[in-house]
Amino acid sequence: MTTGAQRATEPGTGPEDEAPLPTLAEQMADQLGGWRGLVESSIPVVVFVVANIVGELRPAVIASVAVALLIAALRLVQRRPVRHAVNGLVGVGIGAAIAWRTGDERDFYLPGILYGIGYGLALLVSAAVRQPLVGWIWSVLVAKGRSEWRDDPRLVRTFTQLTVLWGVVWLAKVGVQAGLYLAHQDTALGVARLALGYPPYALLLLITVWTVRRVTREREAGQEATAAPEPLPGG
């Protein structure tokens, strides 16, 4: 979900105000940070998993935090967006601090598990009260703060269904990690953190962007057909 889809949520906008709709690939790349963003966000976790296997907990914590800081600093020097690097740094930093304090490598992954549970429940609750969180996120990231989709029953239904899908998938993947956490399967937990990180997120994002684009285009086509003048008798 990225800026530029104003046309899809503003049916009354004039041609002079319309911005070209970004391609699906462009919207996906913006949210995932491109291949570089995917790789950079995963490197600190990979470093922690490998260092913890071959060594001890504290060197692994130091190594993962140092790598995260290095990635963020490199992006700053190159004047590149640091959003993904900062998000990764915060997540790694909190988990590293807890693991350092408790001395248990499992706790490196605990903040991500708790965040996932909270996020999944928030998604389902928002759908239950007819305020689908995916719709509001779309308004912020795509429609530049506008929420005309609230006036379209089909879009409300679409965003509600998508929100439920996100919530169920999020709770399912965090459930796997929580089970490994409780079973003290530290290495498997690290692998699951990587495998269940970006792949499900990318798939959900792809489904969301494709579905909303399809629904809004069908809506526009219906509006154009309704507005078209009827042919004169005998014409």
Side-chain angles (χ1 to χ4, degrees), residues 18-217:
E18 291 181 356
L21 187 66
T23 66
L24 185 143
E26 289 172 336
Q27 296 188 50
M28 291 284 292
D30 180 75
Q31 288 304 301
L32 296 175
W35 286 111
R36 176 170 176 171
L38 287 171
V39 172
E40 289 180 348
S41 63
S42 302
I43 288 176
V45 179
V46 173
V47 169
F48 177 83
V49 172
V50 173
N52 191 51
I53 291 174
V54 301
E56 297 181 353
L57 171 62
R58 296 205 168 186
V61 168
I62 294 172
S64 62
V65 173
V67 168
L69 286 170
L70 181 60
I71 291 173
L74 184 60
R75 277 191 166 265
L76 283 173
V77 170
Q78 295 177 341
R79 299 181 182 274
R80 291 178 176 270
V82 297
R83 173 166 58 97
H84 297 284
V86 170
N87 290 342
L89 178 59
V90 171
V92 169
I94 295 175
I98 296 176
W100 184 282
R101 183 176 182 83
T102 64
D104 190 338
E105 55 264 32
R106 295 182 306 151
D107 292 336
F108 179 83
Y109 309 102
L110 183 58
I113 293 174
L114 296 178
Y115 167 79
I117 294 173
Y119 186 56
L121 292 176
L123 285 162
L124 295 181
V125 169
S126 73
V129 298
R130 302 288 291 174
Q131 295 290 334
L133 189 56
V134 171
W136 290 113
I137 294 174
W138 182 274
S139 293
V140 173
L141 298 180
V142 177
K144 299 181 179 179
R146 299 179 181 273
S147 56
E148 280 81 358
W149 61 270
R150 291 293 302 169
D151 300 322
D152 187 328
R154 185 178 180 186
L155 277 175
V156 172
R157 184 168 59 253
T158 297
F159 279 124
T160 300
Q161 293 169 347
L162 288 169
T163 300
V164 171
L165 175 64
W166 277 78
V168 169
V169 171
W170 220 261
L171 289 177
K173 74 172 192 171
V174 80
V176 172
Q177 296 178 61
L180 294 172
Y181 177 88
L182 295 175
H184 294 263
Q185 298 294 320
D186 306 326
T187 301
L189 179 55
V191 174
R193 164 74 176 269
L194 295 170
L196 298 177
Y198 269 114
Y201 177 77
L203 180 60
L204 287 170
L205 187 60
L206 176 64
I207 293 172
T208 299
V209 173
W210 181 83
T211 300
V212 176
R213 285 164 62 96
R214 177 178 58 83
V215 171
T216 51
R217 282 174 174 167

